[in-house]
Amino acid sequence: MKIICIGRNYIEHAHELNNPVPSQPVFFMKPETALIRAGLPFFYPDFSQDVHYEAELVLRVCKLGKHISEKFAHTYYDGIGIGIDFTARDVQNICKQKGLPWEIAKAFDGSAPVSDFIPKTEFKDLYDINFSLQKNGEVVQKGNSGMMIFNFEKLISYLSSFVTLKMGDLIFTGTPAGVGPVQKGDTLRAFIGEKDMLKIDIR
Ligand code: MG
């Protein structure tokens, strides 16, 4: 099982980190050991002083595929959840400056808490899914799947031209604006629509 993450998929978020808006999806991966299931805490890593939350809709891949066309991409995922792409921003900024890969800032153990999944068929409109993140009870991020630069089908098609997708793989689809730091003692809660999907205590 692998976790594929999309970067810079919302214009406002690309702008807030002074990144260009990409003409093709940007992606990177996290290992299986990054995954935290719903309800378990996040342990603040000692190699960073600036860990940020990034709330993202997450697709659950339901069958094997390579070179998937956009037309059939919708048949390759069956559930949508929400996750946090925890990022050691201070470490990532050094990687960016030096032109190095992002793994030490993005792929560390516990960096990918993910909620349970809602069956895709329960959504009325896959291009109009609201989601949000609260930190200590205050809304810090709001997004909508319709605001994505590259939609679910485009992402699946593009990713599968490089990497074979397998059942159980997860795709983090990018974060909207409003990313920010967490501290020990904070609590994050992630919502799809009004549904409280994921609670993470930062320890
Ligand atoms: Mg992200």
Side-chain angles (χ1 to χ4, degrees):
M1 176 275 201
K2 57 189 173 289
I3 302 169
I4 303 176
C5 303
I6 306 299
R8 306 173 192 172
N9 202 18
Y10 290 81
I11 288 172
E12 309 265 294
H13 171 64
H15 288 165
E16 77 179 341
L17 295 185
N18 294 316
N19 288 317
V21 174
S23 55
Q24 292 285 359
V26 173
F27 78 92
F28 58 92
M29 299 209 266
K30 298 189 187 229
E32 200 173 343
T33 45
L35 186 67
I36 310 180
R37 295 318 305 233
L40 296 175
F42 172 79
F43 292 100
Y44 202 106
D46 58 13
F47 55 80
S48 174
Q49 278 72 52
D50 193 26
V51 172
H52 280 202
Y53 54 78
E54 297 187 1
E56 312 195 5
L57 291 175
V58 180
L59 307 181
R60 181 178 61 193
V61 175
C62 61
K63 63 180 177 183
L64 183 110
K66 181 153 176 79
H67 296 301
I68 300 163
S69 71
E70 283 184 47
K71 187 179 167 193
F72 296 111
H74 68 99
T75 66
Y76 285 81
Y77 72 99
D78 66 353
I80 299 173
I82 190 163
I84 310 294
D85 166 20
F86 275 119
T87 304
R89 193 71 71 202
D90 46 355
V91 177
Q92 188 196 28
N93 286 339
I94 293 168
C95 293
K96 282 183 180 173
Q97 282 163 20
K98 294 185 175 174
L100 294 172
W102 296 356
E103 269 80 356
I104 59 170
K106 287 280 199 182
F108 55 90
D109 284 357
S111 61
V114 177
S115 72
D116 291 335
F117 289 82
I118 300 173
K120 187 177 68 176
T121 49
E122 287 186 17
F123 292 91
K124 269 190 236 140
D125 183 353
L126 294 168
Y127 302 100
D128 185 21
I129 301 172
N130 284 308
F131 63 102
S132 62
L133 183 73
Q134 294 182 6
K135 184 173 94 170
N136 304 328
E138 184 187 335
V139 178
V140 287
Q141 284 193 283
K142 272 185 174 179
N144 182 288
S145 59
M147 292 162 54
M148 292 167 54
I149 299 169
F150 305 107
N151 65 23
F152 298 151
E153 287 76 22
K154 171 72 184 176
L155 294 177
I156 286 171
S157 174
Y158 182 80
L159 292 171
S160 73
S161 68
F162 298 96
V163 182
T164 300
L165 299 180
K166 294 176 82 173
M167 185 164 63
D169 288 349
L170 302 179
I171 302 172
F172 277 62
T173 58
T175 198
V179 301
V182 290
Q183 309 289 343
K184 289 179 187 177
D186 287 344
T187 298
L188 299 176
R189 272 182 190 275
F191 296 78
I192 294 180
E194 301 298 307
K195 203 165 177 184
D196 189 351
M197 298 288 294
L198 181 65
K199 171 177 178 276
I200 308 144
D201 292 319
I202 314 297
R203 302 233 177 114

